[in-house]
Amino acid sequence: MDFTSSIHQSSSLYPYYVLLNGFSIIPLSHFLFAAAVFSVVFLYNFLEFHLVGDFFLGFRGNPIRLTHNPSSALYNSVVSHCKILHGRYLATLWLASPHLQTCFLSFGGRPPVFSYRRQIYHASDGGTIALDWLTHSDVSGGSFLMNNAISKEDKIPIVVVIPGLSSDSAAAYIKHFAFSTAKRGLNVVVCNHRGLGGVSITSDCFYNAGWTEDIRVVINYLHNEYPSAPLFAVGTSIGANILVKYLGEDGERTHVAGAVAICNPWDLMIGDRFISRRLLQKFYDRVLAFGLQNYAKLHEPRFSRLATWEGIKKSRSVRDFNSHLTCHVGKFETVDTFYRRCSSSYYVGNVSVPLLCINALDDPLCTREAIPWDECRANKNIVLATPKHGGHLAFFEGLTGACLWWVRAVDEFLVVLHSSTCMHVQKDISSLHSSDGTAIDQGPYVNIAEDGMVASVFGQEPRDHVSEEIKEMISDIGQDDHHTETTQTSEQHTNINTKSSDVTAPVRKCLNQISRQTQKSALLLTRKIFPAAMLRR
């Protein structure tokens, strides 16, 4: 008598006996099929596939969501004429996952084959920046005619490209964009980060997510070398964060005529939290940290002197790397301080250049939570395009995945912008103070009273004898200096109030005159001249 036959129907084990008996009847092939279905469903959700959603849309793709100010001239005059931005995006069917797209781009990406023309730029601090050129004449006619120099009078727009984290001009997505843009008739130059592109680090400065000085000096250099050519700028990933931060810092002063930011992380603090949240994001975090470690190993002698090399080697995340290297070299107190100071989302409101921003809503590295929706909508110079799919810098399309959607969209945007009247032109800062009838002309001005109090006054006085007043002030101060130096200590204590009034009277008189004549704030002059006179006393 076996165990199963001894189980009575009233026993608590009897239902389990019936269940096991039923399972034993089911063929093994059915179990394998169920396991396969479960695995497919799990992987479909885990890797965020959207093939079923594409099927129900008839494989027409999803429309592009555009966020902009209702009165934006950039949208009305430029973006409204861009058919690609107003179309739909359908990902390559066998890459219908943001993770597959991102990985395929990183480990292949099918970039076009060509060679750059390299130029070395030496920064004032001793640093070296590699500029890799691909001009329209290099790729025209189906042949590569390298070493075609650009003349100073050339009016063909120049597109400056800023790569992403630990990427250079050899990255697949950079080569896709550079080749396609050159084919469209524009000249492209990739501004490689310091220490990348096969160039050594030659100073104690190296790039980070908020380092804007390199792109600033390169833009100024290109403008001086090719003053007739409009300058466009395109930033990708961390390069997009650097670009938007630079545009916000320089405002109207920049020479950039138009810009594009692709897959900008926007808020580095939010991005840091996001990338350590889920298993897949932690995998990306580890891969990025590994890439940064390889970058550091290329320049080990210098980094081992500036930072803690053992900590760099043991870094298992981007945050660890920033803690052991970026904070030391960049003089940031903490990693969070670095993230807060270098996030481009805080500079969006100051952008004065036509700016197109593209972020995929399923980006596995740059979360949609960090996108400054309201700030982009408030700025009339910004249009934000957010496709539902695309991954990080990928956006593969077509059956073979041979091209990137964002490359076509950016090329069209730049061509339309170039033919419009919306291109930014650097304004002469001095002209802001020369025209009549502006708010600056109407005050308020700074007035220094006899008791040393500073007050604002309105109105305007005649401009007479400015230079004479300044000379008189300097002469009076010089005489008082000589008198003070020959006075005994006891006399200084007894007559301090009288001499204070004598010394500062011409200063106050001159500052009041200057504030009304130039219509600029005299507070800065007060901080410099007034204390100097008191110290001399």
Side-chain angles (χ1 to χ4, degrees), residues 255-324:
H255 295 290
V256 175
V260 182
I262 308 296
C263 297
N264 188 354
W266 295 106
D267 193 312
L268 303 180
M269 182 75 72
I270 296 177
D272 175 66
R273 304 293 188 266
F274 172 76
I275 205 171
S276 59
R277 185 181 302 169
R278 298 175 55 200
L279 180 61
L280 270 177
Q281 273 66 43
K282 291 180 179 179
F283 167 76
Y284 290 120
D285 193 12
R286 182 67 187 92
V287 171
L288 291 175
F290 181 74
L292 289 172
Q293 286 177 319
N294 289 336
Y295 164 73
K297 290 177 182 178
L298 295 175
H299 315 286
E300 180 177 353
R302 187 172 296 272
F303 286 153
S304 60
R305 176 174 58 85
L306 298 173
T308 55
W309 184 250
E310 289 300 321
I312 294 174
K313 291 195 301 182
K314 296 178 180 179
S315 297
R316 293 296 179 266
S317 65
V318 176
R319 186 181 183 86
D320 291 342
F321 183 87
N322 288 327
S323 176
H324 294 299

Side-chain angles (χ1 to χ4, degrees), residues 121-166:
Y121 177 83
H122 298 283
S124 59
D125 64 296
T128 304
I129 303 173
L131 303 178
D132 289 334
W133 288 86
L134 186 67
T135 64
H136 171 60
S137 57
D138 292 335
V139 299
S140 60
S143 60
F144 296 92
L145 308 173
M146 303 308 298
N147 299 321
N148 290 314
I150 304 175
S151 65
K152 278 186 170 292
E153 295 75 21
D154 201 331
K155 296 184 179 180
I156 297 178
I158 298 175
V159 182
V160 185
V161 183
I162 311 173
L165 186 68
S166 67

Side-chain angles (χ1 to χ4, degrees), residues 36-49 97 99:
V37 171
F38 176 81
S39 299
V40 169
V41 173
F42 174 79
L43 289 176
Y44 185 91
N45 289 278
F46 184 72
L47 296 179
E48 301 178 63
F49 277 94
S97 161
H99 305 288

Side-chain angles (χ1 to χ4, degrees), residues 420-433:
S420 71
T421 59
C422 291
M423 283 198 305
H424 173 261
V425 178
Q426 185 194 35
K427 292 180 174 59
D428 186 5
I429 303 301
S430 61
S431 65
L432 296 177
H433 306 284

Side-chain angles (χ1 to χ4, degrees), residues 24 68 94 191 237 267 320 327 395 400 404 488 490 496 501 521:
S24 63
H68 59 89
W94 49 277
C191 180
S237 192
D267 193 312
D320 291 342
C327 288
F395 298 91
T400 61
L404 310 183
Q488 299 297 325
S490 60
I496 186 171
S501 177
S521 174

Side-chain angles (χ1 to χ4, degrees), residues 133-134 194 243 265 301 316 335 361 408-409 427 448 509 531:
W133 288 86
L134 186 67
R194 298 191 184 203
L243 174 61
R316 293 296 179 266
V335 178
L361 297 180
R408 293 195 305 115
K427 292 180 174 59
I448 304 178
K509 181 179 180 181

